[in-house]
Amino acid sequence: QRMINLAELTPYILCSICKGYFIDATTITECLHTFCKSCIVRHFYYSNRCPKCNIVVHQTQPLYNIRLDRQLQDIVYKLVVNLEEREKKQMHDFYKERGLEVPKPAVPQPVPPSRGRPRKVLGSVFRIPPELDISILLEFIGANEGTGNFKPLEKKFVRVSGEATIGHVEKFLRRKMDLDPACQVDIICGDHLLEHYQTLREIRQVIGESAVQVCGSWGFVPGVL
């Protein structure tokens, strides 16, 4: 039995973006380079290229071409002592400090035994990646349309990762609408004025289902500072 020093394996289990061990290891399907999920999602907000080999992952939606690598993540947790426990504790502390409910791990549901001849199930041709778990509707409110120099949104419905922040939404609007840097943009949900640091998943948890059902819409109010 040969003992292997962890240092020999470290280059293969480190994220090249944050330089730490993989957390929620996520692989780009185009080039098979792997990063932490939060690192690569954040990177794709600014670029559509792989941080390692610089290939174009997708012209407009690079998040479509990433997949969680659970096997690799299991290997990392087995190699690095206490890494999984530390990560779970940090996540638990993060939610507790903010008064949020700690997410429970997904439990696989048992598949009922089929009777008779198995039937072929036709799935949807287009599947939305599980990473894009938030759907938002952007609506122009609080000012007369046509006020100022900006382009109307071509598509109001957007599906993004719950890790995206309100700051990301604002930057998205500024780019899509060619807003002047001096234009103030406020993002609201219902009667809640949202902060730049808030993630969409946190907002859904804090505001509740009304964020999706009652409001169902996200507004921006452009105005000159």
Side-chain angles (χ1 to χ4, degrees):
Q1 185 176 5
R2 181 184 170 219
M3 301 294 291
I4 300 177
N5 193 319
L6 180 60
E8 297 180 36
L9 300 176
T10 296
Y12 304 101
I13 57 176
L14 284 185
C15 172
S16 61
I17 297 177
C18 68
K19 310 302 180 185
Y21 294 116
F22 289 136
I23 299 297
D24 292 333
T26 301
T27 300
I28 298 175
T29 57
E30 296 299 299
C31 58
L32 301 182
H33 288 134
T34 304
F35 311 88
C36 298
K37 179 181 175 181
S38 60
C39 292
I40 193 60
V41 169
R42 192 180 303 114
H43 170 82
F44 280 153
Y45 177 74
Y46 300 101
S47 172
N48 63 352
R49 293 179 176 271
C50 171
K52 215 164 189 179
C53 65
N54 205 40
I55 71 162
V56 174
V57 177
H58 191 282
Q59 289 292 346
T60 57
Q61 298 290 345
L63 289 176
Y64 285 178
N65 292 358
I66 60 175
R67 296 291 182 272
L68 287 174
D69 192 332
R70 303 188 188 280
Q71 288 184 327
L72 176 57
Q73 189 60 57
D74 288 342
I75 293 172
V76 174
Y77 282 151
K78 289 182 184 299
L79 288 174
V80 185
V81 179
N82 296 329
L83 178 63
E84 184 175 12
E85 289 73 16
R86 291 201 305 268
E87 184 63 24
K88 287 181 179 179
K89 184 179 184 305
Q90 288 179 1
M91 183 182 73
H92 182 275
D93 294 344
F94 175 87
Y95 282 94
K96 284 296 183 183
E97 288 172 3
R98 290 158 177 78
L100 302 174
E101 182 181 356
V102 180
K104 296 179 181 178
V107 179
Q109 299 297 322
V111 179
S114 59
R115 296 180 179 178
R117 187 176 179 180
R119 292 179 299 174
K120 185 177 181 180
V121 179
L122 297 177
S124 172
V125 175
F126 175 75
R127 290 190 177 91
I128 298 175
E131 293 81 13
L132 306 180
D133 57 343
I134 300 289
S135 296
I136 59 178
L137 168 60
L138 299 166
E139 290 185 335
F140 184 98
I141 61 176
N144 295 325
E145 294 206 41
T147 304
N149 296 320
F150 56 85
K151 298 190 303 183
L153 284 173
E154 296 179 3
K155 297 180 180 179
K156 294 183 179 181
F157 293 95
V158 184
R159 192 170 181 93
V160 296
S161 166
E163 297 297 324
T165 65
I166 294 303
H168 293 143
V169 176
E170 178 184 335
K171 290 180 180 178
F172 170 80
L173 293 173
R174 288 187 180 278
R175 290 184 181 181
K176 287 293 183 182
M177 302 182 68
D178 289 338
L179 295 179
D180 188 277
C183 181
Q184 176 183 338
V185 178
D186 292 328
I187 312 293
I188 66 172
C189 181
D191 56 356
H192 297 270
L193 178 62
L194 306 177
E195 302 291 343
H196 281 199
Y197 61 84
Q198 291 179 286
T199 67
L200 299 181
R201 188 173 294 119
E202 288 172 355
I203 293 168
R204 184 174 63 181
Q205 291 171 340
V206 172
I207 300 179
E209 290 303 317
S210 62
V212 179
Q213 297 175 357
V214 177
C215 162
S217 61
W218 300 70
F220 58 95
V221 184
V224 179
L225 287 170

